[in-house]
Amino acid sequence: VLKNDTAEESLDEVVALAYHELRRIAHLRLAGRDRNGGQGRTLSTTALVNEAYLKLAEQSRGKWRDHSHFLAVASLAMRHVIVDRARERAAVKRGGAQRRITLDDVDLAVDDQPDVVLQIDDALDRIAAVEPRVVKVVECRFFGGLSEKETADALGLTHRTVQRDWVKARVLLRRALEP
Amino acid sequence: VTESSSPPEDWRSLAALVDTLLDTAPERRADLIAEMSGDDPRRRADLEDLLAECERDAPLLSRPAAEAFCALFDDDAAPSPTRSRIGIGCSGSSVAAEWRQCISPRT
């Protein structure tokens, strides 16, 4: 994915850039939303990522190979943003039994959400040791909100491979989340 | 194949099995499973379960994470030992509010 894929530091750098830009833009959008009385402004993952790209593509020219490259990096950054937030919430929550989750869960109790995110994150870390590409697909599809086509472009895979890795991701995540 | 708590070292072979099943035309998969399981009924059941699992949805992954876990970013939904609300209705414009904490400056 990286322009220079041998440089671990480069990945850290571009993910950090994306991470902070995603948060910054979200803040600006929310401020505008508040001025409008909370009406008419929405904030979707896709819109956030696209706006971050427009800004970073200009400011950090050369760090992104292209829009697809940015989408992959932004998806990883989104995973960090959400997992960091879950850690903060879990620390505040303190105590209580940890709820075991399944992929069939839909409407999660608010108090369970930090644990759920952290369990998924841990499961993905373990899967990455065995099937790293599958985890990249999950980052793009689930954390980055990318379509199958966008994921394929972002990771340099065929559409069919993305579809297949998504199936594998579901199978492996079910195994990894089992108690 | 479907033993619970399968160790990570089994996951690579599991992924390879998924490839094998999905590489085979749907109308040929029953024959393939029969060939792969031979006279072992347990192996056959495991493979049939795995095939069913490949076709099974995962509702938890059906929405982007920021939407599925939007309550993480909602101050009003901060954890409370006496409260357990259902995190529904977090799509659309309300997602913006849930991002509030996420974008607060960090030290």
Side-chain angles (χ1 to χ4, degrees), chain A residues 19-20 22-27 30 33-34 41-45 48 78 81-82 84-86 88-89 92-93 101-114 116-117 120 123 126-127 129-131 138 141-145 160 164 166-179, chain B residues 1-6 8-9 11-12 14-16 18-20 22-23 29 50 53-88 90 92-106:
Chain A
Y19 180 99
H20 291 292
L22 287 166
R23 288 160 43 124
R24 192 192 68 80
I25 291 173
H27 179 73
L30 290 173
R33 182 175 178 272
D34 288 342
R41 298 297 293 265
T42 61
L43 190 64
S44 72
T45 305
L48 196 64
M78 286 291 289
V81 167
I82 292 168
D84 284 354
R85 187 62 187 149
E88 292 165 8
R89 276 290 166 89
V92 171
K93 180 182 171 186
I101 61 161
T102 77
L103 297 187
D104 298 319
D105 289 329
V106 181
D107 296 325
L108 297 162
V110 169
D111 285 359
D112 289 337
Q113 292 193 14
V116 172
V117 169
I120 290 175
R126 287 182 282 135
I127 293 169
V130 180
E131 292 283 332
V138 174
R141 299 278 286 120
F142 185 54
F143 289 100
R160 177 71 184 127
R164 181 169 302 195
W166 188 238
V167 172
K168 286 185 203 172
R170 299 198 305 256
V171 170
L172 295 180
L173 267 172
R174 284 188 192 280
R175 298 297 194 284
L177 292 171
E178 284 170 349
Chain B
V1 176
T2 56
E3 293 291 333
S4 64
S5 302
S6 57
E9 54 266 30
W11 295 347
R12 188 171 287 121
L14 196 64
V18 170
D19 276 333
T20 301
L22 298 183
D23 275 339
R29 288 174 186 163
L50 178 61
E53 197 172 334
C54 289
E55 296 164 352
R56 185 173 164 193
D57 285 336
L60 186 60
L61 304 179
S62 63
R63 293 185 294 167
E67 186 178 330
F69 302 114
C70 59
L72 288 176
F73 306 107
D74 183 356
D75 279 347
D76 293 335
S80 161
T82 59
R83 180 179 58 200
S84 182
R85 301 185 338 182
I86 299 298
I88 57 177
C90 294
S93 61
S94 64
V95 172
E98 279 78 46
W99 275 90
R100 195 178 308 278
Q101 272 300 306
C102 141
I103 46 74
S104 61
R106 298 185 139 217

Side-chain angles (χ1 to χ4, degrees), chain A residues 15 18 22 49 52 64 69-79 143-144:
Chain A
V15 169
L22 287 166
V49 168
W64 323 102
H69 172 212
F70 177 79
L71 290 180
V73 170
S75 297
L76 176 58
M78 286 291 289
R79 177 181 173 185
F143 289 100

Side-chain angles (χ1 to χ4, degrees), chain B residues 25-72:
Chain B
E27 64 273 16
R28 272 271 309 141
R29 288 174 186 163
D31 291 341
L32 174 70
I33 288 174
E35 291 166 16
M36 292 174 72
S37 51
D39 295 328
D40 185 345
R42 179 175 177 136
R43 168 91 170 150
R44 183 188 190 97
D46 283 347
L47 288 169
E48 287 172 346
D49 286 347
L50 178 61
L51 180 59
E53 197 172 334
C54 289
E55 296 164 352
R56 185 173 164 193
D57 285 336
L60 186 60
L61 304 179
S62 63
R63 293 185 294 167
E67 186 178 330
F69 302 114
C70 59
L72 288 176

Side-chain angles (χ1 to χ4, degrees), chain A residues 4 6 12 20 22 50 52 68 87 98 100 114 123-124 128 134 145 165 168 170 175-176:
Chain A
N4 175 1
T6 63
D12 291 344
H20 291 292
L22 287 166
N50 284 339
S68 293
R87 287 202 180 98
Q98 188 184 54
R100 299 305 307 188
L124 289 175
V134 166
D165 280 355
K168 286 185 203 172
R170 299 198 305 256
R175 298 297 194 284

